[in-house]
Every structure is written in structure tokens, then in C-alpha cells.
């Protein structure tokens, strides 16, 4: 697994199960809103990074040297700057995954030399019946939470490497 995968894994481990359960219950048993997951992931990303890196949430699509399209408005969920130049885009329950992946392709609103690597992270509840892991794109990470939101299973791209982790602990700082 490359460093961007490790960063996502570390960030997910720092999520707060109680907050996820409360949001799940408030939404009638559905996965928490993407905004909740985005805030938890931001906290995990920031606590996992070294001092020489920054996490930029809601990065405008108008990155310098970015190829703009007619649909050029919008914001990348997370941009990791410094020498890494990573993009992370979130979806929940498989909604528009293919469209989000295409945003990083030539002609897409996030296609730029300023993004060297990227992942689209698809968060799902354990009970999700949508798209299975057998059709993952190489730049996709699928995260499935256990019913109690105390564990998460992550599938990484075409390799379908699977890792199950406990969540709710502090994020460990990486040396990326």
C-alpha cells in the first residue's frame, strides 16, 4: 500500500464512533452525511501529518495549471500540499463514484500537474447493498463501517487488499 493509502487508513482509525452512531441514528439508520465524515477525516488527516505538510480542505478546482472545463466550479475535498501533492475526494454509499474518479482524468475539473496522486474514498455502512468491492477502480478506496461504527474495513483499489481496523483511537503521526 502506498503512502496515500496509509494516510487514509490512519485518518479513518481516528474517527469518533459515538459521533458516527449518533448521526446514523439521526438519519434513520443511514450512513452519516458526507459533511460529518469530511470533518472527521480532516481531523484525522491533520493529526496524521508532519509539520511540513498541510491539509487544504475544499480546495477550489482552480488550482494553478488546472485544465478547466465548462463544469469547472467545485472544490476538491482535500489537497495535501508540499512535495506530496495528493488529492482526496469523498463520496458516500457509492453515489457518483465514477463521476468523481473522472474529475481527476484529462479534461476533468481536478486534472492538473499539481496533483501527483489521488484517491476517491467511498464511505458506506455495513448494511449498504450498493456496488460491491469487485469493481473497484485502482484509485478508489472503499470504507465500510461495522454496525456499531467501532470497526472499519477498507478495500484498496484493484488489488482489493482488505484491512480491518478498530476506530476511535488517536491518529498516529506518519512520516510523510
Amino acid at each position: 500500500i502506498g503512502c496515500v493509502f496509509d494516510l487514509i487508513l490512519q485518518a479513518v482509525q481516528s474517527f469518533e464512533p459515538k459521533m458516527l452512531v449518533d448521526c446514523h441514528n439521526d438519519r434513520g439508520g443511514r450512513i452519516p452525511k458526507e459533511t460529518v465524515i469530511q470533518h472527521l477525516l480532516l481531523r484525522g488527516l491533520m493529526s496524521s501529518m508532519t509539520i511540513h505538510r498541510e491539509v487544504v480542505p475544499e480546495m477550489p478546482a482552480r488550482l494553478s495549471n488546472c485544465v478547466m472545463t465548462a463544469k469547472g466550479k467545485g472544490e476538491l475535498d482535500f489537497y495535501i500540499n508540499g512535495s506530496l501533492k495528493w488529492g482526496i475526494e469523498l463520496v458516500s454509499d457509492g453515489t457518483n463514484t465514477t463521476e468523481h474518479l473522472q474529475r481527476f482524468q484529462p479534461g476533468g475539473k481536478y486534472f492538473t500537474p499539481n496533483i501527483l496522486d489521488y484517491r476517491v474514498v467511498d464511505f458506506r455502512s455495513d448494511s449498504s447493498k450498493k456496488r460491491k468491492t469487485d469493481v473497484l477502480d485502482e484509485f478508489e478506496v472503499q470504507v465500510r463501517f461495522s454496525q456499531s461504527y467501532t470497526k472499519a474495513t477498507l478495500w484498496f483499489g484493484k488489488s482489493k487488499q482488505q484491512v480491518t481496523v478498530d476506530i476511535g483511537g488517536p491518529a498516529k503521526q506518519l512520516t510523510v
Side-chain angles (χ1 to χ4, degrees):
I1 296 174
C3 288
V4 69
F5 290 128
D6 293 338
L7 180 60
I8 292 166
L9 179 68
Q10 291 293 326
V12 168
Q13 285 179 290
S14 73
F15 280 21
E16 297 175 31
K18 183 181 180 337
M19 181 179 286
L20 291 166
V21 167
D22 290 347
C23 292
H24 173 89
N25 293 337
D26 288 348
R27 289 182 41 97
R30 293 181 298 153
I31 187 139
K33 283 187 168 189
E34 186 179 314
T35 306
V36 172
I37 292 170
Q38 187 177 24
H39 285 278
L40 291 172
L41 190 64
L42 174 60
R43 191 191 75 166
L45 291 171
M46 290 178 66
S47 62
S48 297
M49 299 299 294
T50 63
I51 197 165
H52 303 291
R53 310 278 185 247
E54 291 180 334
V55 178
V56 182
E58 298 294 323
M59 182 72 164
R62 297 181 189 277
L63 297 165
S64 69
N65 300 320
C66 191
V67 176
M68 296 303 296
T69 66
K71 299 183 280 182
K73 295 180 182 177
E75 297 168 330
L76 176 63
D77 287 318
F78 299 105
Y79 177 71
I80 314 300
N81 69 5
S83 62
L84 298 177
K85 299 180 181 179
W86 293 340
I88 299 174
E89 184 75 352
L90 307 181
V91 298
S92 60
D93 227 9
T95 304
N96 300 323
T97 304
T98 301
E99 176 193 328
H100 285 263
L101 287 162
Q102 289 172 345
R103 292 176 183 181
F104 292 96
Q105 301 303 310
K109 66 175 149 181
Y110 302 146
F111 180 72
T112 172
N114 290 330
I115 295 178
L116 300 178
D117 200 0
Y118 67 90
R119 294 298 177 271
V120 172
V121 186
D122 180 6
F123 289 91
R124 298 164 181 247
S125 65
D126 193 42
S127 60
S128 176
K129 304 289 187 233
K130 293 189 179 178
R131 206 165 134 249
K132 302 290 184 206
T133 58
D134 58 344
V135 291
L136 291 180
D137 181 274
E138 68 180 296
F139 295 101
E140 183 179 358
V141 176
Q142 192 176 103
V143 180
R144 283 192 184 254
F145 295 109
S146 65
Q147 189 172 2
S148 63
Y149 287 93
T150 57
K151 293 191 179 296
T153 301
L154 293 83
W155 283 270
F156 297 98
K158 283 187 176 180
S159 73
K160 295 182 205 131
Q161 181 173 354
Q162 177 182 332
V163 178
T164 300
V165 295
D166 292 323
I167 60 174
K172 297 177 182 113
Q173 190 172 42
L174 298 175
T175 56
V176 294

